[in-house]
Amino acid sequence: MPEVLEVESYRQLAERVVGATIVRGWADAYAAKKLPSPSSWARAVKNLTVTATSRRGKLLLIETSGVTLGMRFGMTGVLLIDQDAGIDGLFYGPHSYKAQWVRAGLEFADGRKLVLHDPRRLARCEIDPDLSGLGPDALSLTRKEFTQIVRIGRGEGPAIKARLLDQSVVAGVGNLLGDEILFRAGIDPRTPTALLSSDQRNRLYSAFTRTMRTLQRRGGSHLGEHMEGRFPGGHCPLDGGAMLSSAVGGRTTYWCSTHQQ
DNA sequence: AGAAAGCCTCGGCCGC
DNA sequence: TGCGGCCGAGGCTTTC
């Protein structure tokens, strides 16, 4: 589940190669889809020394002596350094690693290899990625930044769930995290953003930051109690209410019929 | 067989 | 009627 918490753990893994020099890199046609060609990745990374790691939402940034390298992980991407994974396993997708699913990589002068493992081919490599389309990072969201999330120019605005998933508004919230935050806030995910009461907005901000802190502390490898009821016919782990599900903002959404109004 | 946690593009609709 | 922005639908891709 590469959402912001998982990508943060990938970033922490990538910290290990700070100071190392890249001797070779490669990417297949899918991983390099946003680049002019697969070989442009190989050419660009050669002889770069990694100076730092960073992250904006779900986009991992590897700073170097030259360009900034970016990695997006799609739905099933995992970062590996030699045999070490940035995460134990994904909730969705296979729970095993196969050489055939390695789509891109970097090899260092000291012999180490950093690779992108991605069965479903939706992960992407980027060079000097454009950050202008990304909102503030979800993990360090401030109250001031939060007010921009719930501020709508005119009309009722999109459903709050769709708003939370809009990466240009806040970067890093994925489908499961969005459900978890609204579950904790006790808000119906279909509520138009501009119609949230001030009490709901306060609860949303509190649930947002609390969810980030709590799950980050747990390592981001699994989500909160909301997941216990997240299946057809499931019941709310808080109050036993029936869990409802339908597409909100085009994404499968689960919420409690009792406490999320 | 159908759905899946990301991202991108396209097209319809709304308001000016 | 024209245009831009907003927003939802659909596609990508492979796996379970």
Side-chain angles (χ1 to χ4, degrees):
Chain A
M1 44 179 156
E3 299 189 30
V4 64
L5 298 157
E6 288 69 39
V7 179
E8 172 59 17
S9 68
Y10 298 167
R11 187 198 65 75
Q12 289 172 20
L13 179 69
E15 271 288 307
R16 292 189 200 173
V17 297
V18 170
T21 297
I22 301 166
V23 292
R24 200 173 80 86
W26 61 278
D28 73 8
Y30 290 93
K33 195 174 178 181
K34 299 181 79 168
L35 303 174
S37 73
S39 60
S40 55
W41 174 261
R43 278 194 306 274
V45 303
K46 206 168 169 36
N47 298 323
L48 295 177
T49 296
V50 177
T51 56
T53 66
S54 171
R55 182 187 54 71
R56 176 82 78 89
K58 304 171 199 172
L59 174 64
L60 173 66
L61 298 166
I62 299 175
E63 317 278 356
T64 76
S65 51
V67 296
T68 296
L69 305 177
M71 282 188 175
R72 295 181 173 279
F73 297 90
M75 297 205 297
T76 58
V78 171
L79 191 73
L80 302 164
I81 292 181
D82 297 324
Q83 300 308 310
D84 295 331
I87 190 173
D88 288 341
L90 294 178
F91 177 82
Y92 199 74
H95 290 221
S96 63
Y97 300 99
K98 294 186 185 174
Q100 69 192 83
W101 289 332
V102 174
R103 311 299 188 185
L106 300 173
E107 295 177 23
F108 298 91
D110 58 20
R112 288 184 294 172
K113 289 187 178 66
L114 175 156
V115 302
L116 174 59
H117 181 274
D118 176 38
R120 294 192 193 171
R121 294 186 183 272
L122 293 173
R124 301 289 180 258
C125 294
E126 297 183 46
I127 297 168
D128 284 330
D130 177 18
L131 304 183
S132 66
L134 293 174
D137 187 70
L139 273 191
S140 55
L141 192 76
T142 65
R143 180 86 208 198
K144 189 174 179 182
E145 290 166 345
F146 173 79
T147 63
Q148 293 303 315
I149 297 178
V150 293
R151 177 166 296 159
I152 299 296
R154 56 170 179 271
E156 299 183 347
I160 184 58
K161 168 76 183 287
R163 187 77 172 164
L164 291 176
L165 294 183
D166 184 342
Q167 302 298 299
S168 71
V169 173
V170 55
V173 180
N175 199 32
L176 294 188
L177 211 39
D179 277 5
E180 179 73 31
I181 292 167
L182 291 166
F183 177 86
R184 291 176 184 231
I187 293 172
D188 186 323
R190 301 167 298 180
T191 311
T193 302
L195 298 190
L196 291 170
S197 68
S198 71
D199 180 53
Q200 286 177 315
R201 290 196 299 268
N202 287 337
R203 272 162 29 212
L204 183 57
Y205 173 68
S206 165
F208 194 115
T209 54
R210 187 159 26 94
T211 301
M212 294 299 161
R213 278 197 304 271
T214 305
L215 297 185
Q216 191 174 16
R217 211 162 41 231
R218 290 185 201 165
S221 58
H222 58 286
L223 285 168
E225 59 268 23
H226 172 260
M227 292 302 289
E228 292 169 35
R230 201 179 192 280
F231 59 92
H235 289 273
C236 176
L238 294 185
D239 58 30
M243 294 296 283
L244 305 175
S245 83
S246 79
V248 179
R251 317 303 303 281
T252 303
T253 301
Y254 282 82
W255 70 98
C256 172
S257 58
T258 303
H259 85 273
Q260 288 182 265
Q261 313 249 344

